[in-house]
Amino acid sequence: MSVQAILKEKGYSVVTAPREASVKEVCHLLHENHIGAVVVVDAENRIEGIFTERDVVAAISKRGVQCLDEPLGEVMWRNVFCCTRHTSITTLMDIMNTHKARHLPVEHNGRLAGIVSIGDAVRHHIKAIEYEAEYIRSYITG
């Protein structure tokens, strides 16, 4: 099973923001959309960074509350770990575990094509295991 299966089920919509948006504006996006990450993109939908709940805490800790008025480009995570639609769920989980990333943007032809969370990956991994177990049960019982 691949990232494409996750995207087909959950959809391809991603909440994004430009690097010029204020940290405060993006915090509102996180809250209003009940999400943990916003992907920072340019005008052509190329991934420039990611901003997560963890980044809010880090920015306030390092810069104080005045960072809320700073542009997102000043505090976003630039070294974005991405995946593709063809990335397997196992590989996806390995990447997330290795880099302690809870969200991975999906990139296609250099542009944002979706986003997957650790919850998405775990949910689909469990489905695959359940399907395999059911298949084995059916095979054994004939």
Side-chain angles (χ1 to χ4, degrees):
M1 193 175 296
S2 68
V3 167
Q4 182 66 28
I6 293 174
L7 294 176
K8 279 184 180 178
E9 183 177 303
K10 76 177 262 183
Y12 299 85
S13 178
V14 182
V15 176
T16 63
R19 66 179 26 245
E20 300 81 24
S22 74
V23 171
K24 186 176 183 178
E25 290 170 324
V26 178
C27 286
H28 285 296
L29 283 176
L30 291 169
H31 177 71
E32 290 169 2
N33 291 283
H34 306 284
I35 55 175
V38 169
V39 181
V40 183
V41 294
D42 67 12
E44 295 175 4
N45 212 33
R46 288 187 297 254
I47 300 166
E48 294 189 319
I50 191 165
F51 185 74
T52 70
E53 296 164 319
R54 289 179 184 173
D55 298 322
V56 175
V57 173
I60 292 172
S61 173
K62 291 176 187 173
R63 300 168 177 231
V65 295
Q66 61 271 18
C67 74
L68 295 173
D69 295 320
E70 293 179 13
L72 192 56
E74 296 293 318
V75 297
M76 70 183 185
W77 184 258
R78 286 182 174 80
N79 188 20
V80 183
F81 301 104
C82 295
C83 63
T84 70
R85 293 186 258 188
H86 306 292
T87 302
S88 73
I89 303 299
T90 303
T91 301
L92 176 71
M93 290 172 56
D94 286 343
I95 294 168
M96 290 177 154
N97 188 44
T98 299
H99 300 292
K100 297 188 179 5
R102 295 179 187 157
H103 303 87
L104 285 187
V106 181
E107 192 173 36
H108 181 70
N109 292 332
R111 293 188 166 55
L112 181 63
I115 191 166
V116 288
S117 70
I118 190 68
D120 299 328
V122 169
R123 207 169 17 263
H124 277 77
H125 189 66
I126 289 170
K127 279 184 186 179
I129 291 169
E130 288 172 345
Y131 175 80
E132 184 178 345
E134 184 57 37
Y135 178 81
I136 291 169
R137 268 186 242 129
S138 295
Y139 178 79
I140 292 171
T141 61

